[in-house]
Amino acid sequence: MSNERPPGRDPAAILRTALGEAGIEVVASLPDSWLSPLLTALDADPRIRHVKVTREDDALGIAAGTALAGGLGAVVCQNAGLLVGANALAGYVHLHELPLLVVAAQRGDVDDGFYYQAYKGRVVPPVLDAIGVPYHRMRGGADPRLVTAAADQARLHRRPVVLLLDRESLLGEDAR
Amino acid sequence: MRRSTLARIVAGVLAEDDIVICSLGSAGRAWREASAPNLTYFASDPMGMAPSLALGFALSRPGDRVVLIEGDGDLAMNLGVLAAIAGAAPPNLRMVVFANGRYETGGGQSLAGRLDLGAAARACGWERVESPPADADEAAVATAIRRMYDAEGPAMVVQPVESEASPYPKAGRWSQADDKAVFQRRLAARDESGGRT
């Protein structure tokens, strides 16, 4: 049996296309197993400059530099990376006022069966609230409209905006 | 070498239409005091974020030469960015590290370890790193800066500078967002006028 999905049901392809349509040309990332298909899709897209970093705050800095240049950059990471990058996020929200989009795997929620991930699911949303970063949940499948809406919000508000994606939104129906 | 001398040497090598990004602290202030004509973004806090900001900026403006004026304390806070820059390999990005071995503005505390930032950069994959000795004269440093400038990026000079008093600056009138807006408007005006500041 083939593992290939029709394009309309391939969440990685949907999200990659949505990022491109949102005008994002630079993506900085760190991996997570749920993000693996999306990262592979980004690597294969010649329209997107995909930069690998060693810490999520550097990914945020790269996206902020893209914004400083007049574009919009994205960060792809696990939600724990938002805890690592909290100082950078706060600086870009409140000090520089630079827009960027974060696409984060929301590990540790009801769809995640690993005890060691659970604290992230509990901690990350209130931390984002405390920092003042708008975030939106993507649940039950990849939603390209939410990607473009969040990118528009980031530009309009001159602030980072975070998307927290559940397992099915990143891995598709197979994740059920 | 005094940091003001290094800033003056860098200003003498750069073309006027090169874009400069500065880390916070004494290196950035030395660049400001050099009064170079270059469009410059003084990146302020968070500390450790200037190199990634410069990387994202350079990747998004491949037609511009971007020079990062960096303090060794700022770079020491986030050495992993050396790997990210080496991996992305932007040909238009160059870095000058003012290395005094201290957190000058924070009170002069020494950095951790015995950092050799040039060696760290090479270990992360940087191929064009100049590291003149602390007693190099102005001509030798200018030659190293020129070699870095003429080489394809990413390229770097790590130059030891003297420890000097660096009193905490007075609070400025404008916010970082105000400064960002001015920088972006000057960048847009430069684009509209054909590429020069």
mmCIF file of all heavy atoms in Angstrom, chain B residues 57-74:
data_model
loop_
_atom_site.group_PDB
_atom_site.id
_atom_site.type_symbol
_atom_site.label_atom_id
_atom_site.label_comp_id
_atom_site.label_asym_id
_atom_site.label_seq_id
_atom_site.Cartn_x
_atom_site.Cartn_y
_atom_site.Cartn_z
ATOM 1 N N PHE B 57 17.821 39.222 7.908
ATOM 2 C CA PHE B 57 17.827 40.432 7.072
ATOM 3 C C PHE B 57 18.622 40.184 5.791
ATOM 4 O O PHE B 57 18.166 40.509 4.686
ATOM 5 C CB PHE B 57 18.424 41.602 7.865
ATOM 6 C CG PHE B 57 18.308 42.924 7.172
ATOM 7 C CD1 PHE B 57 17.188 43.719 7.355
ATOM 8 C CD2 PHE B 57 19.306 43.364 6.324
ATOM 9 C CE1 PHE B 57 17.072 44.939 6.708
ATOM 10 C CE2 PHE B 57 19.196 44.583 5.673
ATOM 11 C CZ PHE B 57 18.081 45.374 5.868
ATOM 12 N N ALA B 58 19.796 39.577 5.933
ATOM 13 C CA ALA B 58 20.654 39.338 4.761
ATOM 14 C C ALA B 58 19.989 38.371 3.779
ATOM 15 O O ALA B 58 20.065 38.557 2.565
ATOM 16 C CB ALA B 58 22.014 38.806 5.206
ATOM 17 N N LEU B 59 19.341 37.332 4.304
ATOM 18 C CA LEU B 59 18.670 36.369 3.418
ATOM 19 C C LEU B 59 17.533 37.036 2.648
ATOM 20 O O LEU B 59 17.232 36.643 1.513
ATOM 21 C CB LEU B 59 18.116 35.200 4.238
ATOM 22 C CG LEU B 59 19.148 34.253 4.848
ATOM 23 C CD1 LEU B 59 18.462 33.256 5.785
ATOM 24 C CD2 LEU B 59 19.927 33.514 3.764
ATOM 25 N N SER B 60 16.920 38.025 3.263
ATOM 26 C CA SER B 60 15.771 38.681 2.630
ATOM 27 C C SER B 60 16.177 39.825 1.713
ATOM 28 O O SER B 60 15.340 40.351 0.988
ATOM 29 C CB SER B 60 14.823 39.215 3.713
ATOM 30 O OG SER B 60 14.371 38.148 4.515
ATOM 31 N N ARG B 61 17.442 40.232 1.776
ATOM 32 C CA ARG B 61 17.934 41.327 0.934
ATOM 33 C C ARG B 61 19.210 40.881 0.239
ATOM 34 O O ARG B 61 20.295 41.435 0.464
ATOM 35 C CB ARG B 61 18.220 42.582 1.770
ATOM 36 C CG ARG B 61 17.080 43.006 2.646
ATOM 37 C CD ARG B 61 16.371 44.252 2.312
ATOM 38 N NE ARG B 61 17.009 45.237 1.521
ATOM 39 C CZ ARG B 61 16.312 46.208 0.909
ATOM 40 N NH1 ARG B 61 14.990 46.237 1.003
ATOM 41 N NH2 ARG B 61 16.921 47.112 0.207
ATOM 42 N N PRO B 62 19.120 39.862 -0.625
ATOM 43 C CA PRO B 62 20.344 39.300 -1.221
ATOM 44 C C PRO B 62 21.109 40.298 -2.087
ATOM 45 O O PRO B 62 22.293 40.091 -2.349
ATOM 46 C CB PRO B 62 19.824 38.121 -2.055
ATOM 47 C CG PRO B 62 18.378 38.410 -2.283
ATOM 48 C CD PRO B 62 17.903 39.169 -1.071
ATOM 49 N N GLY B 63 20.458 41.367 -2.495
ATOM 50 C CA GLY B 63 21.144 42.361 -3.317
ATOM 51 C C GLY B 63 21.932 43.385 -2.531
ATOM 52 O O GLY B 63 22.617 44.227 -3.120
ATOM 53 N N ASP B 64 21.830 43.331 -1.208
ATOM 54 C CA ASP B 64 22.552 44.283 -0.357
ATOM 55 C C ASP B 64 23.674 43.586 0.391
ATOM 56 O O ASP B 64 23.551 42.438 0.785
ATOM 57 C CB ASP B 64 21.602 44.897 0.678
ATOM 58 C CG ASP B 64 20.658 45.897 0.063
ATOM 59 O OD1 ASP B 64 21.134 46.770 -0.675
ATOM 60 O OD2 ASP B 64 19.444 45.786 0.301
ATOM 61 N N ARG B 65 24.754 44.324 0.610
ATOM 62 C CA ARG B 65 25.809 43.819 1.490
ATOM 63 C C ARG B 65 25.452 44.227 2.921
ATOM 64 O O ARG B 65 25.177 45.389 3.189
ATOM 65 C CB ARG B 65 27.168 44.393 1.094
ATOM 66 C CG ARG B 65 28.328 43.624 1.703
ATOM 67 C CD ARG B 65 29.658 44.292 1.418
ATOM 68 N NE ARG B 65 29.843 44.705 0.054
ATOM 69 C CZ ARG B 65 30.686 44.109 -0.812
ATOM 70 N NH1 ARG B 65 31.383 43.071 -0.442
ATOM 71 N NH2 ARG B 65 30.806 44.580 -2.036
ATOM 72 N N VAL B 66 25.423 43.244 3.806
ATOM 73 C CA VAL B 66 25.027 43.468 5.200
ATOM 74 C C VAL B 66 26.224 43.184 6.098
ATOM 75 O O VAL B 66 26.885 42.146 5.956
ATOM 76 C CB VAL B 66 23.845 42.546 5.586
ATOM 77 C CG1 VAL B 66 23.436 42.782 7.034
ATOM 78 C CG2 VAL B 66 22.668 42.769 4.641
ATOM 79 N N VAL B 67 26.519 44.128 6.996
ATOM 80 C CA VAL B 67 27.646 43.967 7.920
ATOM 81 C C VAL B 67 27.120 44.039 9.345
ATOM 82 O O VAL B 67 26.447 45.010 9.723
ATOM 83 C CB VAL B 67 28.718 45.058 7.695
ATOM 84 C CG1 VAL B 67 29.877 44.874 8.682
ATOM 85 C CG2 VAL B 67 29.223 45.016 6.250
ATOM 86 N N LEU B 68 27.409 43.009 10.112
ATOM 87 C CA LEU B 68 27.015 42.962 11.515
ATOM 88 C C LEU B 68 28.180 43.433 12.374
ATOM 89 O O LEU B 68 29.273 42.874 12.312
ATOM 90 C CB LEU B 68 26.625 41.533 11.909
ATOM 91 C CG LEU B 68 26.372 41.292 13.402
ATOM 92 C CD1 LEU B 68 25.174 42.082 13.898
ATOM 93 C CD2 LEU B 68 26.177 39.797 13.672
ATOM 94 N N ILE B 69 27.926 44.478 13.158
ATOM 95 C CA ILE B 69 28.879 44.934 14.171
ATOM 96 C C ILE B 69 28.484 44.241 15.467
ATOM 97 O O ILE B 69 27.414 44.514 16.026
ATOM 98 C CB ILE B 69 28.827 46.471 14.341
ATOM 99 C CG1 ILE B 69 29.126 47.175 13.018
ATOM 100 C CG2 ILE B 69 29.782 46.913 15.456
ATOM 101 C CD1 ILE B 69 30.535 47.023 12.517
ATOM 102 N N GLU B 70 29.348 43.350 15.937
ATOM 103 C CA GLU B 70 28.941 42.426 16.995
ATOM 104 C C GLU B 70 29.899 42.503 18.181
ATOM 105 O O GLU B 70 31.125 42.625 18.001
ATOM 106 C CB GLU B 70 28.930 40.997 16.419
ATOM 107 C CG GLU B 70 28.667 39.887 17.402
ATOM 108 C CD GLU B 70 27.225 39.840 17.883
ATOM 109 O OE1 GLU B 70 26.533 40.864 17.826
ATOM 110 O OE2 GLU B 70 26.800 38.770 18.350
ATOM 111 N N GLY B 71 29.364 42.419 19.377
ATOM 112 C CA GLY B 71 30.191 42.324 20.568
ATOM 113 C C GLY B 71 30.445 40.864 20.917
ATOM 114 O O GLY B 71 29.593 40.006 20.659
ATOM 115 N N ASP B 72 31.614 40.597 21.521
ATOM 116 C CA ASP B 72 31.898 39.196 21.845
ATOM 117 C C ASP B 72 30.968 38.672 22.941
ATOM 118 O O ASP B 72 30.638 37.484 22.960
ATOM 119 C CB ASP B 72 33.376 38.982 22.200
ATOM 120 C CG ASP B 72 33.873 39.838 23.346
ATOM 121 O OD1 ASP B 72 33.151 40.741 23.803
ATOM 122 O OD2 ASP B 72 35.024 39.597 23.793
ATOM 123 N N GLY B 73 30.503 39.556 23.824
ATOM 124 C CA GLY B 73 29.558 39.109 24.843
ATOM 125 C C GLY B 73 28.231 38.705 24.231
ATOM 126 O O GLY B 73 27.626 37.701 24.629
ATOM 127 N N ASP B 74 27.781 39.465 23.244
ATOM 128 C CA ASP B 74 26.532 39.128 22.562
ATOM 129 C C ASP B 74 26.662 37.794 21.840
ATOM 130 O O ASP B 74 25.778 36.933 21.912
ATOM 131 C CB ASP B 74 26.181 40.230 21.559
ATOM 132 C CG ASP B 74 24.753 40.134 21.051
ATOM 133 O OD1 ASP B 74 23.828 40.469 21.810
ATOM 134 O OD2 ASP B 74 24.563 39.715 19.891
#
